[in-house]
Amino acid sequence: MSNLSNRNSGPPQDGFRLDKSNGKVFGVCSGIANSTDIDATWIRLGLVIATLALTGLTIPVYIAVALIAD
């Protein structure tokens, strides 16, 4: 009987989804944090370090994920 009540609750949240309610810019880092169970601060810090180390290469990837994911 519990399966019937879950049928109308929408799609399962197992995959990657943007988290715009907790996000700072597009919700990409908070979406990654939700899907990996890691704090969003660590994801954001890793993104900043990767952007500095890769001289901005992660910025177009971030924008592409924001546009494609939702």
Side-chain angles (χ1 to χ4, degrees), residues 4-28:
L4 295 176
S5 64
N6 291 336
R7 186 175 293 174
N8 294 328
S9 64
Q13 297 296 322
D14 293 334
F16 174 74
R17 305 271 308 168
L18 296 179
D19 187 6
K20 294 180 182 177
S21 62
N22 294 326
K24 300 291 183 189
V25 179
F26 291 111
V28 175

Side-chain angles (χ1 to χ4, degrees), residues 11-67:
Q13 297 296 322
D14 293 334
F16 174 74
R17 305 271 308 168
L18 296 179
D19 187 6
K20 294 180 182 177
S21 62
N22 294 326
K24 300 291 183 189
V25 179
F26 291 111
V28 175
C29 290
S30 22
I32 293 171
N34 288 341
S35 63
T36 60
D37 290 332
I38 298 174
D39 188 30
T41 305
W42 292 112
I43 302 292
R44 290 181 185 116
L45 183 63
L47 180 72
V48 169
I49 291 170
T51 301
L52 294 174
L54 298 173
T55 62
L57 186 62
T58 56
I59 294 172
V61 173
Y62 182 90
I63 294 171
V65 168
L67 294 175

